[in-house]
Amino acid sequence: MNPTPTNRYESAGVDYEVLDAGKREALATAARTSAGALTRRGADPIDESRGEPAFAFRHGRETLATVLECLGTKSVIARQYVDAGGPNLFRNVGVDTVAAIVNDLICVGALPLVVHAYFATGSAAWYEDRSRFAALVEGWRAGCEQAGAVWGGGESPTLSGLVADADIELAGSAVGVVPDGRVILGRELEPGDEIVLLASSGLHSNGASLVRSVADELPAGLRTPLPSGAEFGAAALTPSLIYVPVIDALLRSPVTITYLSHITGHGLRKLMRASRELTYRIDALPEVPEFLAQLADRAGMDPRSAYGTLNMGVGFAVFCRPGDGERVVGLAADLGYAAMIGGRVEEGPRRVVLEPLGVTFGGEELELRST
């Protein structure tokens, strides 16, 4: 019997309720390190940034932010696709990992300066396929260039018995600078603010475990063609979009940004990531990329489950003052990004209302902060 729509992602090994509880505990413990630690080195933590995608702090005249992020199991899909006779798409997962890092960093208004890489393998033999490694590092370089950041260095441990010999775990960190010192944390959000939705290119960096679970059930696995003719595995490995150029341009524009959200795990529930009692009403949604529509359908996910798990065509959200939304859409279009005004912020309880789908996510369905 197939898993129900609400537990399919859990059956693939990802249970947000359990993971989020662990995050909250870690955040509460981490907060206890703030007292005096940075002050002794001439810096001040911005503790309100805890629970946001990146941590911000002030040092002298500069406001900086830092983040660490991983790709998850998407690199396994790339390896399995090659093993099944598909092309080497490790360049794409290099871009994906950088995107996961820098798209989180810009959420607090920081622009990336330096990105570091973490390549962990179960065996040094992974590097014997030089074309695979060359593709990976080329993708990492390309991602850094798209983000306007330098690739500073990294770490490449061999973790026998912890990482499978056939696979590589990809992660990394970044440091960025807040150009005007104004850290974006959602405190300026107000009813009436417009919500601009920037389109995704497809899966991006979450849902890979679900992809592998579904692929196991397909007649030709990752080589199974979609209606368009693209293979399931190749479509899953479409590189993520990097939104740094849009945010860089917005920070230099007259637009007043009140919040920024990277739509990854938890799907469109991430629209209410800000610690505010406000309602986020969406009355228009972008077209769902073919791969995500097929993934949700083949996984038996209803709209609530799909939009509460996957990005479903929304890669990033910009919250701005009334009347600024069209400027954001136009600026994004000038840079080659599809965007639309999706809705608005309203007075009311903390929740996300997806009117076209008749779906509402209550505030208790996204709890990422310690109390």
Side-chain angles (χ1 to χ4, degrees):
M1 183 173 67
N2 290 330
T4 64
T6 55
N7 72 12
R8 180 62 192 261
Y9 204 31
E10 292 178 15
S11 73
V14 182
D15 186 331
Y16 284 138
E17 185 174 345
V18 173
L19 293 172
D20 291 348
K23 291 177 183 178
R24 292 193 296 270
E25 181 178 354
L27 278 172
T29 304
R32 298 206 299 270
T33 67
S34 282
L38 287 184
T39 305
R40 289 192 295 272
R41 291 176 171 81
D44 293 296
I46 301 175
D47 281 326
E48 192 180 350
S49 65
R50 295 188 185 278
E52 294 297 326
F55 178 72
F57 61 98
R58 295 186 178 89
H59 188 275
R61 296 181 178 180
E62 298 289 352
T63 300
L64 304 169
T66 183
V67 66
L68 184 148
E69 188 54 86
C70 72
L71 182 64
T73 62
K74 203 170 183 182
S75 61
V76 177
I77 298 174
R79 189 264 301 166
Q80 291 178 336
Y81 190 50
V82 170
D83 289 348
N88 173 4
L89 296 179
F90 272 88
R91 182 186 190 279
N92 294 3
V93 295
V95 173
D96 284 328
T97 315
V98 175
I101 298 164
V102 298
N103 287 343
D104 270 5
L105 187 69
I106 58 177
C107 285
V108 297
L111 299 176
L113 297 173
V114 182
V115 175
H116 290 294
Y118 177 83
F119 302 159
T121 57
S123 168
W126 191 92
Y127 294 97
E128 292 176 357
D129 184 337
R130 302 305 299 173
S131 64
R132 182 171 59 180
F133 183 59
L136 171 62
V137 297
E138 168 59 21
W140 196 281
R141 180 202 61 79
C144 288
E145 289 190 348
Q146 289 178 43
V150 64
W151 180 359
E155 176 69 4
S156 54
T158 299
L159 305 176
S160 178
L162 184 60
V163 177
D165 287 354
D167 289 311
I168 185 167
E169 180 191 17
L170 299 174
S173 63
V175 175
V177 61
V178 180
D180 59 1
R182 176 179 167 258
V183 182
I184 298 172
L185 300 172
R187 62 170 75 99
E188 297 174 354
L189 275 168
E190 293 180 357
D193 285 355
E194 294 175 330
I195 305 172
V196 178
L197 307 177
L198 276 64
S200 73
S201 59
L203 186 66
H204 283 202
S205 58
N206 88 288
S209 296
L210 181 62
V211 170
R212 293 185 294 118
S213 174
V214 169
D216 288 343
E217 302 169 355
L218 298 178
L222 292 171
R223 303 299 305 273
T224 301
L226 299 175
S228 66
E231 291 187 341
F232 190 77
L237 294 166
T238 301
S240 306
L241 296 182
I242 289 175
Y243 299 102
V244 175
V246 177
I247 305 309
D248 188 0
L250 284 174
L251 292 174
R252 291 182 283 105
S253 78
V255 170
T256 299
I257 300 172
T258 55
Y259 197 61
L260 298 165
S261 185
H262 184 197
I263 309 300
T264 53
H266 303 84
L268 270 67
R269 287 183 281 171
K270 280 284 180 65
L271 293 174
M272 59 177 170
R273 182 163 191 157
S275 184
R276 299 291 303 280
E277 282 297 318
L278 293 166
T279 291
Y280 307 91
R281 188 174 301 276
I282 302 299
D283 50 34
L285 289 164
E287 181 179 355
V288 180
E290 179 192 40
F291 177 77
L292 291 175
Q294 289 288 311
L295 176 63
D297 180 64
R298 293 170 188 260
M301 302 172 84
D302 62 11
R304 161 173 277 277
S305 181
Y307 279 81
T309 303
L310 306 168
N311 73 65
M312 298 305 283
V314 180
F316 203 88
V318 176
F319 300 72
C320 58
R321 288 288 183 248
D324 277 348
E326 288 296 344
R327 293 181 181 177
V328 177
V329 171
L331 185 150
D334 290 344
L335 293 169
Y337 294 79
M340 62 185 291
I341 300 176
R344 61 197 178 280
V345 180
E346 298 179 346
E347 292 184 359
R350 181 169 167 266
R351 61 180 177 169
V352 174
V353 180
L354 305 180
E355 287 195 336
L357 304 175
V359 170
T360 297
F361 298 112
E364 74 282 355
E365 296 181 76
L366 186 76
E367 296 291 352
L368 301 178
R369 288 172 171 77
S370 59
T371 55

